[in-house]
Amino acid sequence: MDPKAFVAGMSALGAGMAMIAGLGPGIGEGYAAGQACSAIGRQPEAQGDITRTMILGIAMAESTGIYALVIALILLFANPFVSQF
């Protein structure tokens, strides 16, 4: 078995597993937006505070999805392990 082919295959597998981590932020952002809408429905006068907190939480949740994308792209296109074999 060619070591470069093995490393490339495992990198593709690792990139795919890293992108599975993109599901979590999507689910979390949807849940946060739903809960924010529910809270605004109960207390319309607190809309500004609720919206600001929701946007901050969604931004933090999205950062984990972006980190997973960066790891996947590094594994696919800038893999540091390919040059060792």
Side-chain angles (χ1 to χ4, degrees):
M1 175 180 281
D2 183 28
K4 283 191 176 191
F6 181 74
V7 170
M10 290 296 114
S11 297
L13 183 66
M17 289 184 349
M19 288 314 298
I20 290 174
L23 292 175
I27 293 169
E29 289 169 19
Y31 182 75
Q35 293 297 317
C37 288
S38 175
I40 290 171
R42 286 191 306 270
Q43 289 185 322
E45 66 275 1
Q47 177 183 4
D49 293 334
I50 294 169
T51 303
R52 186 177 24 221
T53 305
M54 179 197 68
I55 289 174
L56 181 63
I58 286 176
M60 293 180 75
E62 185 64 29
S63 68
T64 59
I66 292 171
Y67 293 148
L69 175 65
V70 168
I71 295 298
L73 290 175
I74 288 172
L75 284 174
L76 288 176
F77 299 112
N79 194 337
F81 301 114
V82 171
S83 63
Q84 294 183 1
F85 293 102

